[in-house]
Amino acid sequence: PSFAKAEVLISDSLGKSSFVSPYKLAVGSGLVLSGSLLDFDHGGRQLGEIYPSTFNYKADEVLRFVPAVALVGMKSLGIESRTKQWSELIVRSVASTAVMGLTVEGAKRIVGRVRPDGSDDRSFPSGHSATAFLTASLFAKEYGHLNQWYSVGAYGVATSTAMLRRVNDHHWMGDVMVGAGIGILSAEFGYALADMFYCSSENKRRLRGAYPWLELPSSMA
């Protein structure tokens, strides 16, 4: 069977095209892998040393939530997102946030990397970076199709958040890279879980019967 026919079948089953992007899966996985392999002690040290030790701006505390605020604001103003119903959007967002939170907290407890400023051993991965890239991914999924600059702006804000975590000496460069990757991947897996929830059991059986290689509707995004 052709991919085009499979996409039509999936769209009919879900009432819309699936939202999961294989390209973002690749980018997110690449960030996690490269950030994990980066020198723990020296990765990004030069960036931090450009700034004085007194550099400590709090913009990253707010910036990480900006894409989420923009998403809720535009939805509230009646600008139609790809997910039409508020209830479904909430399910997708909660699922993605849960995946991100569990992954970040689990990694912090297991790795126990000391922060560059020595304040504690919860440096890896960066939770702020993960949150920022998660909210940027959610915004891009819902409104990026209207204008590519929406996505550019959202990911620009997320990148600024991650860089501030480094120059504020709260994280090593590898920490923010892995955090960014986790944020992107969490949105993809969260939307995949929602696809499973919103696809009926009958349609799941029909899809798998016609296309045995197809595990989830999300795999054809």
Side-chain angles (χ1 to χ4, degrees):
S2 69
F3 279 87
K5 289 181 180 179
E7 287 173 343
V8 170
L9 181 58
I10 292 164
S11 181
D12 288 344
S13 298
L14 294 175
K16 55 188 167 302
S17 296
S18 182
F19 296 109
V20 178
S21 166
Y23 306 107
K24 289 185 179 178
L25 286 173
V27 170
S29 299
L31 283 168
V32 170
L33 179 60
S34 57
S36 298
L37 295 175
L38 198 63
D39 188 326
F40 286 178
D41 295 325
H42 300 95
R45 181 182 294 276
Q46 293 81 1
L47 179 62
E49 290 178 348
I50 293 174
Y51 301 90
S53 59
T54 54
F55 185 97
N56 189 24
Y57 292 115
K58 301 296 184 181
D60 50 345
E61 299 291 345
V62 176
L63 283 176
R64 57 179 167 157
F65 298 116
V66 168
V69 172
L71 171 57
V72 173
M74 291 175 68
K75 185 76 169 174
S76 300
L77 290 172
I79 302 174
E80 191 171 277
S81 60
R82 289 184 67 189
T83 301
K84 304 299 187 291
Q85 300 298 322
W86 272 105
S87 59
E88 186 175 341
L89 178 59
I90 290 171
V91 168
R92 291 182 182 280
S93 300
V94 169
S96 300
T97 302
V99 172
M100 184 270 293
L102 290 171
T103 304
V104 168
E105 186 61 27
K108 283 181 179 292
R109 290 177 179 273
I110 293 170
V111 176
R113 183 185 300 176
V114 177
R115 296 182 188 273
D117 61 6
S119 59
D120 60 43
D121 62 354
R122 292 173 56 82
S123 186
F124 181 90
S126 168
H128 283 66
S129 300
T131 301
F133 276 86
L134 171 69
T135 58
S137 295
L138 296 179
F139 181 80
K141 282 181 176 296
E142 297 299 333
Y143 287 109
H145 66 290
L146 298 181
N147 190 316
Q148 63 179 352
W149 290 107
Y150 287 164
S151 297
V152 171
Y155 283 112
V157 169
T159 301
S160 298
T161 302
M163 290 299 96
L164 279 172
R165 297 304 288 171
R166 176 65 200 107
V167 299
N168 280 337
D169 219 27
H170 294 313
H171 290 284
W172 303 106
M173 183 61 75
D175 302 338
V176 299
M177 290 173 66
V178 173
I182 289 174
I184 294 170
L185 291 174
S186 295
E188 301 306 313
F189 285 117
Y191 271 62
L193 290 172
D195 280 352
M196 291 180 63
F197 181 79
Y198 285 103
C199 183
S200 70
S201 297
E202 179 182 350
N203 283 332
K204 287 178 186 176
R205 286 193 296 270
R206 184 161 64 94
L207 282 167
R208 288 172 179 153
Y211 303 93
W213 47 267
L214 187 61
E215 292 297 325
L216 293 174
S218 301
S219 65
M220 277 301 301

